[in-house]
Amino acid sequence: SPVPGTCPCSIWNDAATPAGPDSDTGSVEVGVKFQSAVAGYITALRFYKFPANAGTHVGELWTRYGTRLAVVTFTNETSSGWQQVTLPSAVAIAANTTYIASYHTDVGHYAVNSQYFASGVINTPLRALSDGEDGGNGVYEYGPSGSYPAQTYQSENYWVDVVFGTVAPDTTVPIVTSVT
């Protein structure tokens, strides 16, 4: 298998920027299908935000077939740029298995690039699938938060991302042995 990149890592780095916001104003869940070449843990979700994409955003991690693995509300957002939120608990993922990272916006104006997934994106060990590989990529679903995003349109990239690591985060609660 490929030599893993430096992790924690994401599909896109912070310098990656979308073409612009979509004019759509609908309540929609948008996402990306991805895989990792090695087993590991998803510790956070990310998305790119333009100023018109205001309001509360809820991130979700799904199996390929619609089982929700994690849900978290983004907090302390900036007006634009990459937004990131840590999951309440890291989610273990299997190697070479398709997952979907998504987020919900009530006002639309999500970041978009059309025809983006005509080819895949690789940032070893992560990769966003090319359109047509395990179905279409650039997934969405109109409706309330929690709607599984299964539809696709023009191989669009909605700029949703994950933070992945190969080592389980240490969540051990410290033990106080003395107080002075």
Side-chain angles (χ1 to χ4, degrees), residues 2 14 17 20-21 36 41 45 56 61 78 83 92 97 109 118 129 157 174:
D14 288 342
T17 55
S36 174
Y41 300 87
L45 298 176
T56 301
L61 183 65
T78 59
Q83 311 299 311
T97 302
H109 299 298
L129 307 182
N157 180 6

Side-chain angles (χ1 to χ4, degrees), residues 88-103:
S89 299
V91 176
I93 65 168
N96 304 311
T97 302
T98 302
Y99 295 90
I100 296 172
S102 67
Y103 80 96

Side-chain angles (χ1 to χ4, degrees), residues 70-121:
V71 60
V72 63
T73 300
F74 284 83
T75 58
N76 301 316
E77 291 184 25
T78 59
S79 64
S80 64
W82 284 103
Q83 311 299 311
Q84 181 172 314
V85 65
T86 301
L87 296 176
S89 299
V91 176
I93 65 168
N96 304 311
T97 302
T98 302
Y99 295 90
I100 296 172
S102 67
Y103 80 96
H104 185 268
T105 174
D106 287 327
V107 300
H109 299 298
Y110 43 84
V112 67
N113 282 65
S114 289
Q115 305 303 324
Y116 191 93
F117 289 120
S119 59
V121 175

Side-chain angles (χ1 to χ4, degrees), residues 86-180:
T86 301
L87 296 176
S89 299
V91 176
I93 65 168
N96 304 311
T97 302
T98 302
Y99 295 90
I100 296 172
S102 67
Y103 80 96
H104 185 268
T105 174
D106 287 327
V107 300
H109 299 298
Y110 43 84
V112 67
N113 282 65
S114 289
Q115 305 303 324
Y116 191 93
F117 289 120
S119 59
V121 175
I122 298 173
N123 185 19
T124 304
L126 297 174
R127 70 185 183 96
L129 307 182
S130 63
D131 196 38
E133 180 183 3
D134 200 2
N137 202 356
V139 292
Y140 71 93
E141 189 68 41
Y142 285 97
S145 181
S147 299
Y148 172 66
Q151 298 185 59
T152 63
Y153 179 72
Q154 294 185 348
S155 305
E156 291 186 337
N157 180 6
Y158 303 116
W159 297 89
V160 184
D161 202 350
V162 295
V163 176
F164 171 83
T166 55
V167 178
D170 181 5
T171 58
T172 307
V173 176
I175 299 171
V176 177
T177 57
S178 67
V179 177
T180 57

